[in-house]
Amino acid sequence: MDERSAGAGGPGGAGREPTAVRIAAAVRAGETTAVAAVSAALDRIARVDPDLCAFLEVWDEAALRRARDVDARVAAGERLPLAGVPLAVKGRHGLRSAGPLLAAGCVAVGSTSVPGPGTPWQTWGLGAHGRTVNPWRPDRTPGGSSAGSAAAVAAGLVPLATGSDGAGSVRIPAAWCGVLGLKLTSPGGARLTAPGILTRSAPDAAAYWRAVAPPTAEQGGAGPAPVASALPLAAVWSADLGFADPDPGPVALARAAVERLVAAGVVRLVRPDAPVRLADPGPAWLALRDPGATDADRRAAHRTRADNDRRLARLLDGADLLLTPTTPTAPHGHDGPGDRYSTALTWAFNLSGHPALSLPAGRDADGCPAGLHLVARHGREDVLLAAARAAMPALEKLNAYA
C-alpha cells in the first residue's frame, strides 16, 4: 500500500474504524443501519483493495441486499448480536461455514485471498488484483493461508474475517499483520484443521465465539458460559517448545509482551515441573496429511501425537495458558522464506487440538508486526478470550491499535 492508503491509526486507518460490537450495538439502537455500515465497508474496499489485493470477490449488490434484510429483521424486533457487521469470508467457498455468523446478523461482503495454484508455501495470498501484500510492509507477505482475511482486517476494511487453521493459517497471518487470530478447539483424530476468526478487538472475537460455539445443556441453548477464570492467569512461557529454532527478534517481542502482561496483572508466570519439551510435530503433521505416507510413517506420527498430548496435558494441568512467540521469524518477502517453516510454533496445536490465539505483540525495527501465542486447555476458549480482553489494553503502546 502506498502513502495514500495509510492512515494515522494504522494501515488503511484501521484504528479509526468501528469494531463489530460497536457496529451491532448502533444498528440495534437505530443509530445507524446495516445498509450504512455495509456501504461504508464496500467504499473502503473499493478504495484500498486495488493496492492491498485482499479480496478474491466483492459482492456489492448481494451484500446490500443482505444488509436490507438485516435492517428488516431488526425493525421486526429481532435482537441480532452481530446486526449489520460487515464480514469477509476466507476463499470462494467461505460462505459454507459462515451460517452462524449470518444468522447472528453479519453481512458477508466478499471472499478473501488464499494462496494461488501451485504455491509451495501457504504464506501468500492471490487476490483479484494480484498478490496480497502486508498492510504494514508491502514488500512482505501477510502470512497465510488466511492471507486476505488478515490483511483486510489489519487495513480496516472489515472488522471480522473468517479463517481456517490447519497448521497456523489463522494465527500466523494474525501475527504478521498485527491483529488478533483465534483458532478453535478441534476434535483431533484425522482432522487437523479448525475454524477461526481474525479481528482487531478481543470483544469482537468473543462475539464470534458466542455466535459459533455449540451451546451446552447447562447453558440452556444460550451459547458459551461467561468467563469464570480470575486474573492473573497462571502461565508458562516457552520460547521454542523444546525443538524450534526461532529468531531472536520475534522471541524478544513476544517476551516483552509477556512482561507487560505480568506487570498489568493479566498473567503470572509459573515454572513447570520439567522444561517445556515437545517432540517436533512437523514429520507427524506431514505424514498425517500425506495420502501417500507409509504405514510406518503414520504409526510414528501417532506415537508423536500421543507423546505430545501427554506432555501438554501435564503442562496445562498446572497452568491456564502456555505462552510462546507465534512465529519463528518476521514476515518474509514475497520470494519466500527459504527453508524455514513459519508453522514451527503453531502446528503442534493442530495435532493436539488445543484452542490457541495470537495477540499483536508490537513491531520490529523494520516495522513488521509480531505475535504472542496463547494456548489453553481443550474447550477453554473462554480463558483465551478473557486473557485477550485484559491483555489488549496492556499491549496498546506496543501496537498501533488494540
Side-chain angles (χ1 to χ4, degrees):
M1 295 168 67
D2 59 25
E3 292 296 328
R4 293 168 296 173
S5 302
R16 298 194 301 269
E17 302 305 336
T19 66
V21 168
R22 289 172 181 166
I23 290 171
V27 171
R28 290 195 304 268
E31 297 168 1
T32 188
T33 64
V35 168
V38 168
S39 295
L42 292 172
D43 288 346
R44 291 194 296 273
I45 294 167
R47 185 175 67 253
V48 174
D49 199 54
D51 293 323
L52 188 66
C53 304
F55 280 85
L56 286 167
E57 298 172 346
V58 181
W59 305 320
D60 299 74
E61 292 184 8
L64 291 171
R65 184 173 64 251
R66 294 185 188 113
R68 288 191 290 271
D69 290 342
V70 168
D71 284 332
R73 292 168 65 188
V74 171
E78 271 194 79
R79 186 167 178 81
L80 302 174
L82 291 169
V85 173
L87 172 74
V89 298
K90 178 182 178 179
R92 287 192 169 87
H93 305 298
L95 275 176
R96 294 177 181 175
S97 58
L101 296 173
L102 302 182
C106 282
V107 176
V109 298
S111 61
T112 58
S113 67
V114 293
T119 305
W121 289 85
Q122 300 298 297
T123 49
W124 283 272
L126 185 63
H129 300 287
R131 180 181 61 197
T132 309
V133 303
N134 190 306
W136 295 97
R137 282 285 304 261
D139 62 334
R140 307 292 177 92
T141 178
S145 62
S146 303
S149 286
V153 167
L157 305 189
V158 290
L160 289 178
T162 64
S164 58
D165 191 312
S169 294
V170 165
R171 292 161 288 159
I172 293 165
W176 284 353
C177 289
V179 298
L180 185 157
L182 170 67
K183 175 194 90 72
L184 302 185
T185 302
S186 55
R191 292 182 60 186
L192 301 178
T193 300
I197 198 71
L198 294 120
T199 183
R200 300 186 303 276
S201 155
D204 284 1
Y208 160 81
W209 170 236
R210 286 192 293 271
V212 303
T216 66
E218 291 80 4
Q219 293 153 10
V227 173
S229 300
L231 301 178
L233 297 163
V236 172
W237 161 259
S238 175
D240 60 7
L241 295 175
F243 64 84
D245 184 25
D247 290 344
V251 172
L253 287 168
R255 181 66 196 199
V258 170
E259 295 301 330
R260 282 182 175 268
L261 299 189
V262 171
V266 178
V267 301
R268 59 180 178 87
L269 292 180
V270 297
R271 187 181 299 274
D273 294 336
V276 179
R277 196 170 300 281
L278 301 185
D280 184 350
W285 190 96
L286 293 168
L288 292 173
R289 286 292 289 260
D290 181 5
T294 66
D295 289 342
D297 287 339
R298 291 184 181 276
R299 286 194 296 271
H302 289 301
R303 286 194 297 270
T304 296
R305 173 184 252 171
D307 185 35
N308 279 353
D309 283 350
R310 286 191 293 270
R311 298 183 193 197
L312 287 167
R314 287 197 300 270
L315 179 69
L316 290 170
D317 187 50
D320 299 301
L321 297 170
L322 170 61
L323 308 176
T324 76
T326 306
T327 63
T329 68
H332 55 76
H334 294 285
D335 54 350
D339 296 329
R340 303 296 298 279
Y341 274 92
S342 58
T343 56
L345 294 162
T346 52
W347 55 0
F349 308 103
N350 295 89
L351 281 174
S352 70
H354 288 84
L357 181 149
S358 182
L359 285 176
R363 295 186 302 282
D364 63 19
D366 289 334
C368 295
L372 174 64
H373 191 216
L374 289 66
V375 182
R377 300 180 191 103
H378 292 101
R380 294 312 304 266
E381 282 86 351
D382 61 327
V383 173
L384 292 177
L385 292 166
R389 184 160 194 153
M392 293 292 269
L395 300 177
E396 188 171 5
K397 289 185 179 179
L398 298 179
N399 303 297
Y401 49 82

